[in-house]
Amino acid sequence: MRPEPDPDLGTLYLVPTPIGDPEDMTPRGVAVLRAVAVVACEDTRNTKTLLGPLGVRARLVSYHEHNEETRGEQLLAQLLDGEDVAVVSDAGTPLVNDPGFRLVASAIEAGVRVRPLPGANAPVTALIGSGLPVHRFQYAGFLPRKSAARRAALVELASTDATLIFFEAPHRLVETLADMREVLGDRQAAAARNLTKNSEEFLRGPISELIDRLSGEDPVRGQFTLVVGGLDSSGADPAKELAGKLATALVAHGATARMASDVIREVTGLPRNWVYDRVQSVERAGK
């Protein structure tokens, strides 16, 4: 059991900030930021611009992936000295795709009270506006930048029936969608652009339609959250069931992984990477 919070120590607050519309800053969040001694943020300039008009006068310190360890130690020391500290991100809920979980874990271990506040969150906002199932979802953050690594990461996600949520930079968006179509198939998806801003837009439809739409933009602009449907929750996918049977039969008759994959792709139309991974799984099982 972790120790109970010590009332003589400071409190660590995790405070969401707006993801687009400044009016999404909550009154409780403003009150906390006005009361704490220190606000740890990704970029002090951005946070100062946001908090200055709200009357927040706390000391701002940078806290990002490049100084997470050293700054985290400093923040923990202040908490142990009885000072209240707030962590914010440039936009949205802190710790979601940003540093901070190590500080939270250390604070809990040291008996510091940790208070997360609800508020703006791009993944959940995109999910509920996507029109895709929300009963199970998985946030996967940013995929790797290089196509081969990105496809490998998508293969690991291909079999879940949970709706998938990603962040992606606009200049990589089309190539990422192309990899998704290749690995996951032409699933239903939504690209949420500039959430909560006046320019907010949802592009919804099969991945192929999103590719066609965005390929016409040169360059693609905006901040994107991608939501992609999971594998049919029933698990019933006739093409994949057939692929599994073909893989077993072909491997048993001595076909190479490449030959078996080519045949299965020609018959089923399934994505190359998924088929090859399935054939390799059959080969490993037979050894």
Side-chain angles (χ1 to χ4, degrees), residues 8-68:
D8 293 328
L9 304 181
T11 297
L12 176 61
Y13 293 93
L14 309 174
V15 183
T17 55
I19 58 177
D21 190 331
E23 293 188 5
D24 289 337
M25 190 72 208
T26 68
R28 184 182 172 205
V30 173
V32 166
L33 294 172
R34 286 174 177 170
V36 298
V38 178
V39 176
C41 50
E42 291 179 81
D43 188 319
T44 56
R45 294 165 299 181
N46 291 343
T47 302
K48 184 177 181 180
T49 300
L50 171 68
L51 301 185
L54 300 176
V56 176
R57 300 291 179 258
R59 183 164 62 92
L60 304 182
V61 298
S62 62
Y63 182 47
H64 45 71
E65 60 179 338
H66 302 298
N67 71 351
E68 180 180 9

Side-chain angles (χ1 to χ4, degrees), residues 129-233:
S130 69
L132 294 167
V134 301
H135 59 286
R136 288 190 63 208
F137 61 91
Q138 181 174 343
Y139 169 68
F142 283 97
L143 289 165
R145 296 184 180 186
K146 294 187 179 298
S147 181
R150 187 164 55 233
R151 291 185 178 202
L154 288 167
V155 167
E156 294 182 2
L157 298 169
S159 61
T160 180
D161 63 354
T163 299
L164 302 171
I165 308 172
F166 307 88
F167 286 153
E168 189 51 281
H171 63 278
R172 288 195 299 269
L173 189 62
V174 172
E175 61 186 58
T176 292
L177 286 168
D179 284 342
M180 288 179 171
R181 181 177 59 183
E182 181 70 22
V183 176
L184 304 178
D186 200 13
R187 299 185 185 185
Q188 291 294 314
R193 175 165 27 200
N194 297 337
L195 285 167
T196 77
K197 297 180 179 179
N198 291 333
S199 57
E200 176 182 282
E201 179 183 25
F202 277 86
L203 307 178
R204 304 179 180 91
I207 293 175
S208 58
E209 290 186 10
L210 270 59
I211 293 173
D212 291 342
R213 167 67 185 277
L214 291 164
S215 295
E217 300 183 15
D218 186 19
V220 177
R221 299 185 185 278
Q223 297 172 313
F224 284 89
T225 305
L226 290 175
V227 186
V228 180
L231 185 67
D232 183 353
S233 60

